[in-house]
Amino acid sequence: MAEFWIGHRRYRTKGEAKEAVREVLYRYNVGSIVDQEDDHLLLLDLLDMHHEADDKIGPGVEAIAIAPPQRGPYPGFEVIRTDGSRIDFSYQTCLKPPTYRQQVMNVMRDEIKSTINAYFESRKTVGLLVSDQSGTPLDSSNTAVSYFQGPSFVDIAEEFAETVGGWEAIELTPSTEPGLGKLKDRGLAELWFNHHQEHAVLGLLSSQENQRRPRR
């Protein structure tokens, strides 16, 4: 069977990925917060794979809790949003194969990774590793480059896709990296890179601030 990825985590099979999620689910009591950082980050990456991730995340994620059984005998996961509201999400749904839109968007993120890295390094070089939201000094190991000051990455990508004829018009090469390929048309890849450069308003947040922010 093909390898499976949740964020940067590589699993030999989808079944192995599912088991890793289940281990987190049953490591905590019903009603408790998933408070181990590695577990929390795994679930955030898992949530991003949900086809309704933006709706589930809403104004931002404060925490993820273990929800009591709703349909059947098994517990599940529940997003606690920054506004205090709660909503459940199915890890089984998250593990379903990504849509073509999700695949393209993942590749588009990879295509502009150099821009994100360069922005971080430029801030670090001039000694400006501080949160643009709170003004708090940041440690380089606890810093996230964020789109919180302008249009989200999703908005930028959606606008680009519309200008070139929709998601199906953006062809991908076969996967050569962790679950990713590249944009097949390198001229189109350059257009995307320039579009992102023109519209992205980047900033720095702590990892915790970035986790809590809205995704759109």
Side-chain angles (χ1 to χ4, degrees):
M1 295 178 65
E3 63 187 18
F4 196 89
W5 293 79
I6 301 177
H8 66 278
R9 302 162 195 81
R10 175 183 177 275
Y11 301 95
R12 290 176 298 175
T13 64
K14 179 179 175 180
E16 187 176 273
K18 179 178 178 180
E19 186 57 34
V21 175
R22 284 173 57 83
E23 286 179 5
V24 174
L25 179 62
Y26 291 105
R27 189 175 298 141
Y28 299 83
N29 295 324
V30 170
S32 61
I33 301 294
V34 177
D35 57 4
Q36 295 297 310
E37 183 177 11
D38 287 347
D39 294 342
H40 178 71
L41 293 177
L42 169 62
L43 296 183
L44 284 179
D45 285 339
L46 179 71
L47 179 58
D48 274 338
M49 296 166 64
H50 197 288
H51 68 284
E52 296 178 345
D54 288 340
D55 292 333
K56 296 290 185 181
I57 292 165
V61 178
E62 181 68 36
I64 296 177
I66 307 301
Q70 294 189 356
R71 294 174 294 275
Y74 306 111
F77 294 112
E78 182 178 53
V79 177
I80 303 175
R81 298 177 175 135
T82 53
D83 63 358
S85 62
R86 295 175 175 242
I87 188 169
D88 67 296
F89 74 95
S90 166
Y91 75 87
Q92 300 274 20
T93 298
C94 297
L95 293 174
K96 290 180 179 178
T99 65
Y100 190 70
R101 172 182 175 276
Q102 290 171 322
Q103 293 178 56
V104 174
M105 201 170 293
N106 286 339
V107 170
M108 290 169 76
R109 284 186 189 276
D110 195 61
E111 291 277 2
I112 52 86
K113 188 164 55 178
S114 62
T115 297
I116 304 301
N117 292 339
Y119 177 79
F120 172 78
E121 290 299 329
S122 69
R123 292 283 297 263
K124 184 177 178 180
T125 298
V126 297
L128 287 177
L129 281 187
V130 297
S131 167
D132 293 317
Q133 178 172 287
S134 64
T136 304
L138 299 172
D139 185 276
S140 59
S141 63
N142 185 38
T143 301
V145 177
S146 173
Y147 295 83
F148 80 105
Q149 301 177 105
S152 70
F153 175 85
V154 172
D155 289 336
I156 297 170
E158 291 274 11
E159 182 180 3
F160 179 76
E162 288 178 9
T163 66
V164 298
W167 295 105
E168 296 300 326
I170 304 175
E171 294 185 70
L172 305 180
T173 64
S175 175
T176 56
E177 294 185 23
L180 300 176
K182 291 186 177 297
L183 299 183
K184 187 174 182 179
D185 183 335
R186 299 316 296 166
L188 189 65
E190 184 176 357
L191 288 176
W192 159 240
F193 186 90
N194 293 335
H195 178 86
H196 179 268
Q197 289 276 78
E198 180 181 351
H199 293 88
V201 182
L202 302 176
L204 294 184
L205 298 176
S206 70
S207 298
Q208 293 77 19
E209 289 171 335
N210 194 50
Q211 290 165 13
R212 291 194 295 267
R213 71 177 178 84
R215 298 302 172 93
R216 295 191 67 88

